[in-house]
């Protein structure tokens, strides 16, 4: 307890720095999940992707990032075991942030798309094992999270498969693909917008003090989505006037229309990603801040300090702008050849799955969700369309991530004990 009283301010500043480092790692590594498909399909340039992601990643983190935080902060370990030694919980959470951030920056430098969720959970388990023992870990909660790593790629893969198959059926495998694209792509715009509008209205607006009933939320989500669909329809009709000689029976014009749609799905994906993955940085930081400010009292429910969500959002943006391009190229071009229509199917499936998980408070791996979606698109074209070597390497990097986070956390935890105790 004396340690928290004597070094409280120092620990707070260090924790904020480690949380910021973790957020930078999230931006550097996980931006590929939001933008890799857009860049890989050439719907967006790297520069355009970074600008879009900066705006919507921050908006997702700030407006809708609070729901998942509770699961990471209180679900993985039993904090009641630290009641008599709150300083150990603070050191442990700080070491977890530093460990996960370090691993993510290393992986980003190497161009490996790893899971930020794996990183932080592995790190939290690592410090809990050495500080209190295995009884501190809520293995039931961990099983649920691990289960989601299998279930979510499967769900997003199914979504992507059927979205892509529907595009094939209604647009590509018809006599007039361009004409049908102009008809059906606005419908896809509607579906994409309603997914993101619902989570924004239902969850995000709570942070700014606006509470809507289910009926009101659906009304506004549908209204906004209809407006986007109408604007999209008018834009596509004006932008892609039928050129019977060149484009009616070719897929060039169709893919150009899907490129327009990819901008909307990129925004949706960035928002969904920011809302879900910011918890990996701000969850442990929230636990540290509340414990220090309450002089060692570990509360069941804590209000997130006003500065924590913006800190996470800014960190994500910094990481994405400085190191995001490396992992982006791995995901965008490595797994399978992407066109705007294929990239759209993968992105809409991923955004829908992440938003679904974010709404239920389950911290899923966005990386695995996206890879599942890209695999779903690949399977729709046949197994030969997949680069299985790249897929294998990605899966291996996932397996390594959890123990790497745990080992680094144990190392940093022991160093902190040597410094402060």
């Amino acid at each position: 307890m004396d340690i928290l009283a004597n070094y409280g301010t120092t620990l707070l500043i260090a924790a904020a720095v480690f949380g910021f480092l973790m957020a930078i790692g999230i931006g550097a590594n996980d931006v590929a999940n939001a933008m890799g498909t857009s860049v890989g399909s050439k719907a967006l340039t790297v520069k355009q992707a970074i600008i879009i992601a900066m705006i919507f990643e921050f908006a997702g983190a700030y407006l809708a990032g609070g729901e998942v935080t509770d699961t990471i902060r209180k679900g993985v370990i039993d904090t009641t075991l630290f009641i008599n030694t709150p300083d150990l919980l603070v050191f442990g959470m700080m070491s977890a942030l530093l460990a996960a951030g370090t691993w993510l920056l290393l992986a980003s430098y190497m161009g490996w798309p790893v899971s930020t969720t794996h990183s932080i959970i592995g790190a939290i388990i690592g410090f809990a094992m050495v500080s209190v023992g295995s009884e501190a870990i809520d293995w039931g909660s961990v099983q649920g999270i691990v289960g989601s790593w299998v279930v979510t790629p499967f769900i997003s893969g199914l979504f992507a498969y059927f979205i892509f198959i529907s595009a094939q059926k209604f647009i590509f495998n018809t006599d007039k693909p361009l004409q049908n694209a102009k008809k059906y792509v606005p419908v896809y715009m509607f579906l994409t917008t309603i997914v993101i509008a619902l989570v924004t209205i239902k969850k995000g607006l709570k942070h700014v003090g606006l509470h809507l009933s289910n009926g009101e939320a659906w009304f506004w989500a549908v209204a906004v989505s209809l407006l986007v669909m109408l604007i999209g329809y008018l834009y596509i009709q004006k932008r892609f006037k039928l050129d019977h000689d060149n484009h009616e029976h070719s897929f060039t014009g169709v893919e150009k229309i899907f490129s327009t749609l990819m901008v909307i799905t990129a925004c949706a994906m960035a928002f969904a990603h920011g809302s879900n993955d910011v918890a990996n940085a701000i969850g442990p930081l929230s636990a540290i801040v509340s414990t220090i400010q309450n002089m060692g009292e570990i509360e069941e429910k804590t209000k997130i300090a006003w500065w924590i969500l913006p800190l996470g959002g800014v960190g994500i943006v910094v990481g994405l702008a400085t190191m995001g391009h490396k992992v982006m190229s791995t995901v965008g071009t490595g797994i399978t050849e992407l066109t705007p229509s294929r990239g759209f199917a993968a992105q809409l499936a991923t955004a829908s799955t992440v938003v679904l998980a974010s709404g239920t408070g389950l911290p899923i791996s966005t990386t695995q969700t996206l890879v599942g979606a890209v695999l779903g698109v690949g399977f729709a074209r046949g197994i030969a369309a997949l680069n299985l070597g790249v897929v294998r390497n990605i899966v291996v990097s996932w397996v390594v991530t959890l123990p790497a986070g745990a080992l680094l956390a144990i190392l940093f935890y022991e160093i902190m004990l040597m410094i402060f105790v």
Side-chain angles (χ1 to χ4, degrees):
M1 216 70 81
D2 289 342
I3 293 172
L4 296 185
N6 295 333
Y7 299 107
T9 306
T10 306
L11 291 172
L12 267 180
I13 293 168
V17 171
F18 295 166
F20 191 65
L21 180 77
M22 174 67 181
I24 290 173
I26 292 170
N29 202 282
D30 267 19
V31 65
N33 306 316
M35 292 294 149
T37 45
S38 301
V39 175
S41 64
K42 296 183 173 59
L44 292 170
T45 64
V46 172
K47 189 176 179 182
Q48 289 168 334
I50 286 174
I51 291 169
I52 287 175
M54 277 182 174
I55 296 166
F56 286 91
E57 288 268 348
F58 184 84
Y62 189 65
L63 289 175
E67 190 78 21
V68 183
T69 310
D70 286 343
T71 309
I72 281 278
R73 191 173 67 232
K74 297 196 296 290
V76 180
I77 56 171
D78 181 3
T79 52
T80 57
L81 293 174
F82 293 90
I83 285 175
N84 296 322
T85 53
D87 49 333
L88 295 187
L89 178 66
V90 169
F91 293 147
M93 285 295 187
M94 286 173 68
S95 64
L97 281 173
L98 184 56
T102 302
W103 172 249
L104 286 174
L105 290 175
L106 175 66
S108 303
Y109 180 76
M110 301 299 289
W112 301 333
V114 298
S115 168
T116 54
T117 312
H118 279 213
S119 304
I120 193 66
I121 289 174
I124 289 173
I125 290 172
F127 98 77
M129 290 283 279
V130 294
S131 61
V132 179
S134 60
E135 66 270 19
I137 299 156
D138 182 355
W139 293 108
S141 176
V142 172
Q143 278 180 334
I145 293 166
V146 171
S148 77
W149 299 336
V150 178
V151 172
T152 47
F154 179 73
I155 292 172
S156 65
L158 274 181
F159 281 174
Y161 178 86
F162 286 114
I163 292 165
F164 184 67
I165 290 295
S166 72
Q168 293 284 84
K169 180 179 171 61
F170 294 119
I171 297 171
F172 288 95
N173 297 341
T174 62
D175 294 333
K176 296 181 176 179
L178 186 63
Q179 196 168 321
N180 286 326
K182 292 168 73 175
K183 188 195 301 182
Y184 288 112
V185 166
V187 177
Y188 288 128
M189 287 184 174
F190 175 84
L191 292 173
T192 305
T193 309
I194 204 164
V195 164
I196 213 63
L198 275 173
V199 75
T200 310
I201 293 167
K202 290 284 286 173
K203 290 174 63 234
L205 296 183
K206 288 179 185 176
H207 291 294
V208 291
L210 193 59
H211 297 267
L212 300 177
S213 68
N214 277 342
E216 290 169 330
W218 274 97
F219 171 80
W220 285 108
V222 170
V224 170
S225 302
L226 284 171
L227 181 64
V228 170
M229 183 171 76
L230 178 63
I231 292 169
Y233 176 80
L234 294 173
Y235 174 79
I236 288 169
Q237 294 298 323
K238 184 178 179 183
R239 170 85 170 74
F240 301 98
K241 289 182 176 173
L242 273 178
D243 182 346
H244 289 280
D245 295 329
N246 296 324
H247 286 309
E248 182 50 47
H249 298 287
S250 81
F251 296 133
T252 310
V254 177
E255 292 293 358
K256 282 183 179 176
I257 293 178
F258 271 101
S259 290
T260 306
L261 180 55
M262 280 286 281
V263 177
I264 294 176
T265 54
C267 297
M269 189 56 230
F271 184 94
H273 174 259
S275 72
N276 193 74
D277 278 41
V278 71
N280 295 330
I282 68 170
L285 184 55
S286 293
I288 295 164
V289 170
S290 65
T291 304
I292 292 174
Q293 288 180 341
N294 294 315
M295 291 309 296
E297 185 184 339
I298 300 168
E299 295 186 338
E300 279 298 306
K301 274 279 182 189
T302 56
K303 192 175 182 185
I304 298 171
W306 66 269
W307 54 271
I308 292 180
L309 272 170
L311 181 86
V314 171
I316 286 176
V317 167
V318 170
L320 130 76
T322 54
M323 293 176 69
H325 60 94
K326 290 195 174 186
V327 180
M328 211 185 286
S329 64
T330 303
V331 172
T333 57
I335 299 170
T336 189
E337 186 189 343
L338 291 175
T339 60
S341 58
R342 295 170 199 159
F344 155 72
Q347 271 191 334
L348 177 55
T350 308
S352 303
T353 309
V354 170
V355 165
L356 198 68
S358 191
T360 56
L362 188 66
I364 62 164
S365 163
T366 324
T367 307
Q368 296 186 338
T369 310
L370 180 78
V371 171
V374 175
L375 286 172
V377 171
F379 276 126
R381 297 164 52 228
I383 192 78
L386 296 170
N387 187 335
L388 296 178
V390 171
V391 175
R392 184 182 65 245
N393 291 341
I394 289 173
V395 172
V396 168
S397 73
W398 291 348
V399 174
V400 170
T401 292
L402 206 139
L407 290 171
L408 282 170
I410 292 168
L411 174 67
F412 291 136
Y413 178 73
E414 295 296 339
I415 292 171
M416 281 185 203
L417 289 184
M418 287 165 58
I419 294 171
F420 289 103
V421 178

